[in-house]
Amino acid sequence: RTCELSNNLIMHDYGRKLLDAAPKNAVLMVEGDMPSLTTRYLRYCENYRPDVDVVDQELIGFPWFKPMHQHIFKHYIFPYDREMYYKDVLARKGENFAFSYNFKNVF
């Protein structure tokens, strides 16, 4: 039996609703795979809402993020410094959260 999902637009619609809710020329800060992957795919692959920049808050702590995305986000100074981001993630995820980002080479 085949599992036919080509007409399943749940994630597509979810991503569009997130982008549609953003005001013109917004920076949409997302967290988590579903909002991040759906909105970034729509924005950068389908060119949906080209006025909105999508930033995954969980990815900005990785050392590869800035060099890989500096052509997209060259005019931004991200709101977190390394220590604030670290403390914020621990506060939201709990002290037992395995936090392994290397902040020495970020931003």
Side-chain angles (χ1 to χ4, degrees), residues 32-44:
D33 288 345
M34 280 193 282
S36 176
L37 297 173
T38 55
T39 54
R40 288 187 300 140
Y41 173 80
L42 288 167
R43 166 58 182 93
Y44 299 110

Side-chain angles (χ1 to χ4, degrees), residues 19-53:
L19 288 166
D20 288 342
K24 187 174 174 144
N25 299 318
V27 178
L28 181 61
M29 303 289 285
V30 294
E31 183 176 344
D33 288 345
M34 280 193 282
S36 176
L37 297 173
T38 55
T39 54
R40 288 187 300 140
Y41 173 80
L42 288 167
R43 166 58 182 93
Y44 299 110
C45 296
E46 292 190 5
N47 204 30
Y48 185 75
R49 287 297 307 268
D51 62 303
V52 175
D53 287 328

Side-chain angles (χ1 to χ4, degrees), residues 1 6-7 16 18-19 28-29 32 34 39 49-50 56 67 71 81 84 87 90 96-97 99 101:
R1 193 168 175 181
S6 63
N7 292 321
R16 280 185 174 250
L18 288 173
L19 288 166
L28 181 61
M29 303 289 285
M34 280 193 282
T39 54
R49 287 297 307 268
D56 186 322
H71 66 285
D81 69 15
M84 282 178 54
K87 289 176 185 174
L90 283 182
N96 295 326
F97 179 68
F99 197 81
Y101 295 165

